[in-house]
Structures are given as structure tokens and as C-alpha cells.
Amino acid sequence: MAVTTISPAATARSAQAERTRAAIVSAAHDLFVARGYRASSLRDVAAAAGISHPGLLRHFATKDALLAAVVESFERDNEFALLEQLAADEPGTLGYSLVAQRNEEVPGYLALFAALTGEASSPRHPAHEIVRDRYAQLRQLSADAVEEAVAQDTVSSDRDPAGEAVRIAAAWDGLQLLEQYLPERVDVVTALETYEEGLALPVGWRDPDDAPPAGHAAPVPPMPSFAAQAASPQVGYRVGRERRAKILDGAIALFAREGYGDTSLRDIAERVGVSKSTLLHYYGSKEELLSAVLSERDHLIESRGSYVRATRAVDELRALPRGAAENSATAPGLIEVYAVLSCEALPADHPAHAYFEERFRGVLDHFAALFRAAQEDGDLPSHRDPEFEAVWLTALWDGLQYQWLYDRSAVDVAAQLTAHLDDVLPRG
């Protein structure tokens, strides 16, 4: 019988190939975090890894395959960490905050996945199915963990494990994004710890010593506008206005599908059937067009005719899911472009970074003001902190929208927001 042996030279080549592959994945990770997946080419990765472009292609034939390797390396480690944490803790202990602490300590993890969550929301993105499957798996792991915690009496028995799983996963992703923009105001680990502790209380719990809601309500803070200063001008000839609107629609569609960095002015011009010079006549630069897209998106969202300002803060908050339902039904493209751009703009030098930083700060300020007014009215229980509730609601809403973009049949944004607000703002 012939015996096959592996020569020392072959073993050395195999070890060298593994080292080269690991160096490529490491370089790709750093570039994808710093620039985003779309804006990083295989030639960029090869240069960062210190090898030739043909040499890289011997290990990864496409950028899609390289992205999958980067994501897999992180997700495998993270899944093991979550399972180990759940197994190591006392029965019924939720370990989300401890896993989040681990993620904070892994260089580049938060930036990569916050960016990837938005970028991959387009079905055309090579990581779309990877992230969609990640959500499904995370929801199942979370549901199992909450169900076990209910059985061990560490989570209130009236809580729905499946619903809590959706909301925890969504808020976790939203918190990671918010922390990148407003690190002085958002702490993922602390927020998860606070939420985990609150799950021990029954849904809609209120301290028996709390005073009943007041008859006279505090003034309801007005909804902030993010589009007023840069709304599209309605001046000039009709043909020019229509062409300008057509360019905006084309840019919104392409930014949502391909991202800002990977979309050129020529791409937009070709989509709307004009020359690049004609496009530049209406928008003098790509950055100017991006600003117009963001303003138009806000203008369209804010101008929905069904909104009527409430006379009590609690009613203003409880009405938010209706707006979410309308956005999902009538303006999915606006949700898509928001998801892609808010995550793509994480690097401080991105032209939309300052816009999203200010927008998130404004949303948090508004929600905090609403929760403070609701607490003054006696509608928000005394044990709840308005600032925390503002952060969690903002993170939850954004995270639910991301999940919805990956699986629209599995996630009902409005229903999940309603369930959360019914817990925070008890009706009885």
C-alpha cells in the first residue's frame, strides 16, 4: 500500500498561504472600517497587505468573497462568545451587555458592523444575505435566552420572548450606530445593562406610590425640522424644476442601492437621461447633491399630511408608530437611503457625517424633552429616566428599520414600537 506523505516544503507553502490570507483579511478589515466596503478596492487591499493585486486574487477571486471572510471571522467569534456567556452565567441571566463589552474591546468591530448594517441593506449588496441571516440567528438566540430567563424567573413572565428578541437586537444595532456619532451621550454597554434589569419588571410597571397622571398637561415640545434650512428651491421655470426633481429622485435611488461613495455623478446623469454637465448646472458638486438628497428626504418625511400635533406629550409619543407605519408603506426608498447613508457617513471626513451627527443630537433632544414632559404629567413612571428612554427609543427605531430592510415579512416596525411604548408609557 502506498503511503502519501506531505513534504516539508508543501507544509511551509501551506503555512505561508494561511499567513498571507490572514494578512489580506486583516488589511481588508482595516480598510472597510476606515473607508467603507464600497469605497475600498481589491487593489487598495492588496497594497495595504503588501502583496500584488494578482497575488491577492489567488486567495480571493472577488471582493464579495473577501468581505464574506472578514464578516465570518468576526461573527464566528461573536457567536461563540454569546453562547459561552449564556452557558457560563447563572441560569436565566441575560448576557447582552457582557457580549457588548467584549465587542467594544475588539478593535474595529463596532465601526465595521455599524457601517455594514446600512451598506448591506440593499438586496444587491454582496453581504445582504450574510447580515439577513445574522439577524435571524441573533433573534433566535435572543428568544431562547429570554425564554430561559422567564423560566428562571429573572425576566417577568408576561414578557414575550420573541418580541423582546426582535427589540433587543434592533436597539443593540441602533445603539452601536449612535455611539459612533455621539460617544459622549451614548454608551452601548450601560444602556443594555439598564434594559436587561428592567425586563425583571412586569410590562407597563408603575410604582404604586407614583401620583396618577395630571389633568393639565405640560406644553408639548414642537417637532424639530431638519429640512427647513435646505429645502429644494421651488423657483425657476417648470422644466428646470422638474429636471431638478428628477435628478434628486435618481440620486436617492442610486445612493440607496449603491451608496454615496460608489455612485458617480455620471451614474446619476445616465440614470435620469441628462449629461453630466447638465447635472452640474443644477448641482455644482457631488457634495451639494448629497446635501440636497438629505434635505429632500427630510422634507418628504416631515410633510406627511396625517400628522397632527398632540396636546399631551404621552399622546405625541404614542403616535410615533403611526408615522413609522406610513413611512414603511409609502416611502420605503427614503428609509433605504437613510439606512445606507447614516451608516456610510460614520467616518468623520464623510461629507454627510456632520449632518447625521446633528440630526441624531436633535432627535435625542426632542425625544428627551417629550419624555420629560410626559413624566411631569405623570404619564412616564418615576423610575424611568427620560434621557435613557430617548436614547433607547431612537436606537430601537433605527434598528427596527434596518431589520425591516433585510426581512420585511419578519419585522413590523410600527408594532414593535407600539409594544415598547406600551411598556414604557402604561395606559392603566
Side-chain angles (χ1 to χ4, degrees):
M1 177 184 295
V3 177
T4 302
T5 59
I6 301 176
S7 68
T11 300
R13 286 194 299 271
S14 177
Q16 179 60 42
E18 286 301 315
R19 287 193 294 271
T20 301
R21 183 181 177 88
I24 294 170
V25 172
S26 176
H29 159 262
D30 292 345
L31 282 175
F32 293 169
V33 168
R35 302 184 188 177
Y37 167 79
R38 297 182 189 278
S40 303
S41 70
L42 286 180
R43 292 186 184 278
D44 295 332
V45 176
I51 64 173
S52 67
H53 183 223
L56 182 149
L57 293 177
R58 286 197 291 272
H59 297 273
F60 297 97
T62 66
K63 195 165 71 162
D64 299 3
L66 179 54
L67 176 65
V70 172
V71 173
E72 182 184 14
S73 67
F74 276 106
E75 283 302 90
R76 182 175 58 250
D77 292 345
N78 204 41
E79 181 182 344
F80 287 159
L82 179 58
L83 291 173
E84 288 173 0
Q85 188 63 56
L86 294 175
D89 286 333
E90 293 295 324
T93 300
L94 297 176
Y96 303 112
S97 58
L98 295 175
V99 176
Q101 179 65 56
R102 174 189 175 277
N103 290 346
E104 296 256 6
E105 296 167 357
V106 177
Y109 179 91
L110 293 182
L112 175 63
F113 275 95
L116 187 62
T117 295
E119 287 193 14
S121 62
S122 168
R124 293 166 53 93
H125 194 282
H128 183 81
E129 291 188 5
I130 295 173
V131 180
R132 184 196 64 197
D133 292 345
R134 166 185 175 258
Y135 274 127
Q137 187 172 23
L138 184 57
R139 285 195 296 266
Q140 186 58 57
L141 283 172
S142 296
D144 292 344
V146 175
E147 186 172 358
E148 172 65 18
V150 169
Q152 296 294 332
D153 202 30
T154 57
V155 166
S156 179
S157 61
D158 64 346
R159 294 192 177 274
D160 170 37
E164 293 293 350
V166 171
R167 293 191 289 277
I168 290 173
W172 193 345
D173 273 350
L175 287 166
Q176 290 183 158
L177 182 72
L178 281 175
E179 189 181 55
Q180 300 298 302
Y181 280 106
L182 302 173
E184 77 287 353
R185 195 163 178 179
V186 179
D187 185 299
V188 175
V189 176
T190 301
L192 286 171
E193 287 175 345
T194 301
Y195 191 78
E196 288 173 21
E197 292 170 0
L199 292 177
L201 298 173
V203 174
W205 185 81
R206 181 191 293 273
D207 191 312
D209 294 333
D210 279 3
H216 297 286
V220 176
M223 183 178 294
S225 174
F226 301 101
Q229 295 183 351
S232 300
Q234 298 299 312
V235 296
Y237 293 108
R238 178 179 60 81
V239 172
R241 295 198 304 271
E242 290 177 350
R243 182 167 290 170
R244 187 181 182 91
K246 190 175 182 180
I247 292 171
L248 269 183
D249 289 344
I252 288 173
L254 285 179
F255 288 168
R257 193 179 75 187
E258 305 293 344
Y260 172 80
D262 215 28
T263 299
S264 68
L265 290 178
R266 190 174 302 280
D267 293 333
I268 299 169
E270 290 178 355
R271 179 182 177 88
V272 301
V274 300
S275 66
K276 182 179 177 181
S277 60
T278 298
L279 187 153
L280 288 170
H281 172 73
Y282 294 97
Y283 298 97
S285 67
K286 189 179 175 185
E287 289 79 6
E288 183 182 333
L289 179 55
L290 173 63
S291 178
V293 163
L294 293 171
S295 181
E296 181 70 4
R297 184 257 175 204
D298 285 333
H299 175 72
L300 292 172
I301 291 292
E302 293 170 11
S303 62
R304 59 186 176 91
S306 63
Y307 171 72
V308 177
R309 188 174 167 191
T311 57
R312 197 176 182 98
V314 68
D315 295 323
E316 186 81 352
L317 287 161
R318 287 174 179 159
L320 292 174
R322 290 201 297 272
E326 287 186 30
N327 294 342
S328 298
T330 64
L334 299 181
I335 296 176
E336 291 165 1
V337 76
Y338 171 86
V340 171
L341 293 178
S342 62
C343 293
E344 182 185 354
L346 279 172
D349 59 352
H350 192 284
H353 181 89
Y355 162 85
F356 281 107
E357 181 179 323
E358 288 306 309
R359 192 182 195 287
F360 282 129
R361 184 174 286 110
V363 169
L364 290 182
D365 287 345
H366 177 60
F367 284 167
L370 283 174
F371 280 117
R372 281 194 296 271
Q375 196 162 63
E376 184 179 337
D377 296 341
D379 294 309
L380 179 70
S382 61
H383 72 282
R384 292 191 177 273
D385 172 43
E387 173 69 14
F388 169 80
E389 298 302 339
V391 170
W392 191 271
L393 178 59
T394 304
L396 175 64
W397 196 337
D398 275 13
L400 287 170
Q401 288 189 149
Y402 299 142
Q403 286 200 36
W404 178 78
L405 289 173
Y406 287 98
D407 194 340
R408 304 187 187 199
S409 64
V411 179
D412 186 325
V413 177
Q416 295 294 342
L417 285 175
T418 298
H420 171 69
L421 289 170
D422 284 347
D423 184 17
V424 174
L425 300 163
R427 296 178 184 272

